[in-house]
Each structure stands twice: as C-alpha cells, then as structure tokens.
C-alpha cells in the first residue's frame, strides 16, 4: 500500500480496536449466564480498566480518521483490529495532547509544572533537572522526574506537544545548543516557551520599555548573546519568549541577597522591575495555553510598579523574617544607571494575564498578615 493507504489502514485498525473494546461489556452481557454474569463483568472490567487511560490518549487520533463510532467503517480491516495491548502501545507512542516537558525544572519550572498538572490532571508532566534534589517533591505533585543525562532524556525519542525551557545560562556550557535540543523535543502541536530576561533591554536612563523595545548589542556580553541567540531559535521555530523581570519569593530575590550581604552595588534610587515566581509561572502557563496568539511572540513579565533599590530593602525590613536579623544595607553608588520602567500592556491584553501581586510592597504586606 502507498503511505496514505497505510496511514488510513492504521487509523482504521485503531478505530476498530476502540469500538471492539467498547463492545466487550455488551458481549459479556448477552453471552454469559445470569448466575455468573456479575463475576464475568467484574473480571472484564478489571482487564479493561488497565488500559483506559492509554485508550483516552488514542482518541486524539480519531480526529484524523473522521469517522464516528459505528459509522463509515465499510472497507476497514475490522478482522485485524488491534489488541488492547497493541492499541495501548499506539496510544503511548502518540502521547497525550496536553503532555508537557519542563527543562530546567527549578524554582520557576516546578511552579509551571504544578500549575499545568492542576489544569490538566490527566497530562503527563515531566520535570527535567541536572540533579535529583527536587524529585521527591515532583512525585508528590504528580510530576514525573527525569535527569538531563538519563538514557531516556538523551535518546530524544519522546516528543511533547508542550515544552518549557526555564534553565538559566549558567546551567549549560552550550546554552543555545540546549535550547535547540528543546525545540527538537517539541512536536509542534502545542507551544514551546523560553523564559528569558528583561536584562537584555538597552534602556538604562529610567525610560519606558515595552515588549519590542531595542535590546543590547549581543557583543556587549556573553550572557546577552546567549539569551538573544536562544530567543531567535525559539521564535524561528514558532514558539514564544517570555522575558521576565527580577524574580522573587519571600526567601529569594534581590532583597534577600542585599540584606544578607549588607551592601548594594548601585544607586539607592535606581529602578528595579520585579515579578513574583508564582505570577511568572502563571504567565508562562498563559502563554502555553494561548496557542496561535503566542506564536512568534516576545512577552514581558512584570508586576504593576517599578521600585527603587532602597524601597525594596525598606519593604523587606518590614517583614519579621528580616527586621529582627538585618539592618539596612549601605549603597556603594550614589550615581549611575536609573534603570527602566517596564510596560507589558500588550502581554496582558494578548494573554489575559494580571499578576496576583501588583507590587513587591503589596506582597510583603500580605505576607506579614499571614
């Protein structure tokens, strides 16, 4: 048979197998004496239930056949219908339509994975990491852990409709190559998101920056070149980029580093743009779900208000975790860069996203009340 006939025949077998599986109970009902009906039904249900989840995945292939159950099956090789085992193998190979791979599944990536699992409980969510310190947490939240140097990861055989690359440039000696690998693992049916940094924007004099504002010369630093080259690979493939402001939680972020160090390099009035890790994860998920609206786009993740270095430290010092342990740091530069003011109106309108924490101040105040 030519390729088209073979593909239709394979899908026809799959349809027939699904229908045959669905008719098992009817056959048992009419062919089994009533005295043993209950036992037979129970045994049949036990055998069938083991492949139900995989059969659900297989239903996505029915769209390509265009045939409703029991209609238009003339000419299909019903007699060669797939067994439940081979049908399950087909379903496993095709994967679930909401399955996702998160590469660099750290503080941000794990939040993305958890949020995706909450939205799609039946999806396979794989968290790929260099070490296994988070793997217990992954398993507790329904995330399948995978080491980056494992045989499964290195084979590249399994493709995913959704992929997130959230590893930092420091995670790989060939960062752009790692991003290209992520693109190769994407089956192009869903979306791939690359989490980048707003630090690539050129503006440093306090002006407004939007999603498509000019970026720095790639030759200005190896980090900038790696990020911009990686972004280009993602956009070229039809994915999208999410450039993020400074990430934080109560324990992580610039405020924690500065207070523990006792010194801040830069002007106290210099502006910093921030976004909470939870809000950043929600933004990445929104970009994944947006489909064609995300294709080729560069989004910007930031809260509602830029804040000065001094204001960040003062806000953190209001929280019990810091006020009893630290003092306000000293600022080593009284002049210098004024920073930038992010405006991500386009991102919010396109993705329907708003941050849970509109500012670092509001986050600290809310944390204090808990």
């Amino acid at each position: 048979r030519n390729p088209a006939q073979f593909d239709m025949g394979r899908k026809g077998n799959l349809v027939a197998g699904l229908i045959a599986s669905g008719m098992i109970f009817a056959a048992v009902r009419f062919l089994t004496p009533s005295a043993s009906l209950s036992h037979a039904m129970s045994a049949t249900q036990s055998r069938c239930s083991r492949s139900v989840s995989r059969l659900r995945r297989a239903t996505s292939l029915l769209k390509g056949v265009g045939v409703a159950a029991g209609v238009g099956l003339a000419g299909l090789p019903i007699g060669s219908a797939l067994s439940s085992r081979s049908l399950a193998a087909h379903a496993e190979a095709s994967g679930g339509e909401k399955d996702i791979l998160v590469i660099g599944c750290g503080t941000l990536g794990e939040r993305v994975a958890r949020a995706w699992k909450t939205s799609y409980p039946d999806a396979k969510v794989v968290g790929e990491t260099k070490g296994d310190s988070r793997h217990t947490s992954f398993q507790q939240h329904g995330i399948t852990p995978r080491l980056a140097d494992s045989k499964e990861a290195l084979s590249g055989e399994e493709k995913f409709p959704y992929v997130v690359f959230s590893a930092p440039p420091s995670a790989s000696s060939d960062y752009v190559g790692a991003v290209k690998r992520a693109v190769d693992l994407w089956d192009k049916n869903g979306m791939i998101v690359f989490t980048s940094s707003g630090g690539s924007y050129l503006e440093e004099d306090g002006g407004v920056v939007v999603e498509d504002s000019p970026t720095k010369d790639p030759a200005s630093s190896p980090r900038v070149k790696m990020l911009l080259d990686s972004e280009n690979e993602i956009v070229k493939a039809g994915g999208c980029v999410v450039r993020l402001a400074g990430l934080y939680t109560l324990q992580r972020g610039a405020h924690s580093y500065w207070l523990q160090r006792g010194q801040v390099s830069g002007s106290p009035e210099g502006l910093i743009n921030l976004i909470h890790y939870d809000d950043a994860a929600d933004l990445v998920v929104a970009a994944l779900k947006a489909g064609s609206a995300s294709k080729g786009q560069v989004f910007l993740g930031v809260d509602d208000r830029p804040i000065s270095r001094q204001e960040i430290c003062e806000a953190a010092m209001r929280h019990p975790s810091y006020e009893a342990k630290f003092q306000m740091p000293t600022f080593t530069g009284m002049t210098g860069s004024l920073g930038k003011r992010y405006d991500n109106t386009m991102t919010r309108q396109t993705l329907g996203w708003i941050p849970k924490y509109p500012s670092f101040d509001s986050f600290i105040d809310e944390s204090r009340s808990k």
Side-chain angles (χ1 to χ4, degrees):
R1 289 181 290 182
N2 63 41
Q5 290 173 324
F6 176 81
D7 185 60
M8 179 57 73
R10 181 178 65 85
K11 291 180 177 178
N13 285 343
L14 183 56
V15 173
L18 285 169
I19 294 172
S21 297
M23 294 175 65
I24 289 175
F25 291 107
V28 172
R29 172 65 181 84
F30 287 103
L31 298 178
T32 306
S34 58
S36 57
L37 177 59
S38 177
H39 174 74
M41 290 292 287
S42 177
T44 302
Q45 184 176 9
S46 176
R47 289 193 298 271
C48 291
S49 63
R50 289 192 294 268
S51 61
V52 166
S53 60
R54 289 179 177 177
L55 291 176
R56 286 175 177 170
R57 288 183 177 182
T59 58
S60 62
L61 293 178
L62 294 178
K63 298 175 182 178
V65 181
V67 181
V71 179
L73 292 176
L76 293 180
I78 299 298
S80 60
L82 297 175
S83 68
S84 61
R85 179 175 298 178
S86 58
L87 182 58
H90 274 268
E92 188 68 25
S94 65
E97 62 181 16
K98 295 299 182 182
D99 289 356
I100 188 170
L101 170 65
V102 181
I103 301 174
C105 199
T107 304
L108 175 60
E110 184 172 357
R111 282 171 162 81
V112 172
R114 289 189 191 183
W116 194 260
K117 191 67 175 177
T118 298
S119 293
Y120 305 106
D122 292 333
K124 180 179 181 180
V125 179
V126 177
E128 185 176 292
T129 59
K130 296 185 71 174
D132 61 3
S133 61
R134 291 180 175 271
H135 288 189
T136 298
S137 175
F138 288 0
Q139 292 169 334
Q140 291 172 346
H141 293 88
I143 302 166
T144 302
R146 186 168 90 174
L147 289 172
D149 61 357
S150 66
K151 181 178 179 180
E152 181 183 12
L154 294 175
S155 72
E157 293 178 356
E158 185 177 15
K159 310 296 182 182
F160 294 81
Y162 294 90
V163 176
V164 174
F165 188 96
S166 57
S170 59
S172 174
S173 58
D174 181 12
Y175 192 67
V176 178
V179 172
K180 289 180 179 179
R181 168 183 171 266
V183 172
D184 289 340
L185 295 175
W186 178 40
D187 70 9
K188 308 299 190 295
N189 288 319
M191 180 53 58
I192 183 171
V193 174
F194 172 67
T195 60
S196 189
S197 169
S200 298
Y201 286 114
L202 181 62
E203 177 61 46
E204 290 292 349
D205 294 324
V208 175
V209 166
V210 296
E211 288 83 356
D212 61 354
S213 289
T215 55
K216 296 174 182 176
D217 183 345
S220 63
S221 79
R223 177 183 172 86
V224 169
K225 178 174 173 53
M226 280 191 293
L227 288 173
L228 294 180
D229 287 351
S230 297
E231 290 183 3
N232 288 336
E233 292 295 332
I234 294 293
V235 171
K236 181 173 63 177
C240 72
V241 172
V242 177
R243 292 175 179 161
L244 295 170
L247 291 158
Y248 72 89
T249 63
L250 182 60
Q251 296 80 23
R252 296 174 63 98
H255 63 288
S256 178
Y257 174 75
W258 290 337
L259 292 178
Q260 291 185 57
R261 187 167 181 259
Q263 184 174 298
V264 180
S265 300
S267 166
E269 302 305 318
L271 293 176
I272 304 295
N273 297 272
L274 298 174
I275 183 171
H276 192 280
Y277 272 98
D278 289 348
D279 285 328
D282 287 345
L283 178 57
V284 170
V285 170
L288 288 166
K289 292 180 177 180
S292 60
S294 290
K295 185 176 182 180
Q297 292 287 349
V298 174
F299 298 116
L300 180 57
V302 66
D303 63 21
D304 293 349
R305 187 175 78 86
I307 185 171
S308 72
R309 293 185 180 92
Q310 182 168 331
E311 288 174 322
I312 290 174
C313 294
E314 289 174 344
M317 286 294 291
R318 296 200 305 267
H319 196 279
S321 297
Y322 294 101
E323 64 180 353
K325 300 178 182 178
F326 304 100
Q327 295 180 341
M328 279 291 292
T330 58
F331 295 86
T332 60
M334 300 311 292
T335 60
S337 169
L338 297 176
K340 51 185 75 80
R341 297 175 180 273
Y342 290 167
D343 178 355
N344 67 342
T345 300
M346 183 278 283
T347 295
R348 298 186 186 209
Q349 290 178 345
T350 302
L351 301 180
W353 172 88
I354 57 172
K356 176 182 177 182
Y357 302 107
S359 69
F360 183 71
D361 281 325
S362 65
F363 166 75
I364 290 294
D365 290 340
E366 183 174 328
S367 297
R368 290 177 62 196
S369 64
K370 291 182 179 179

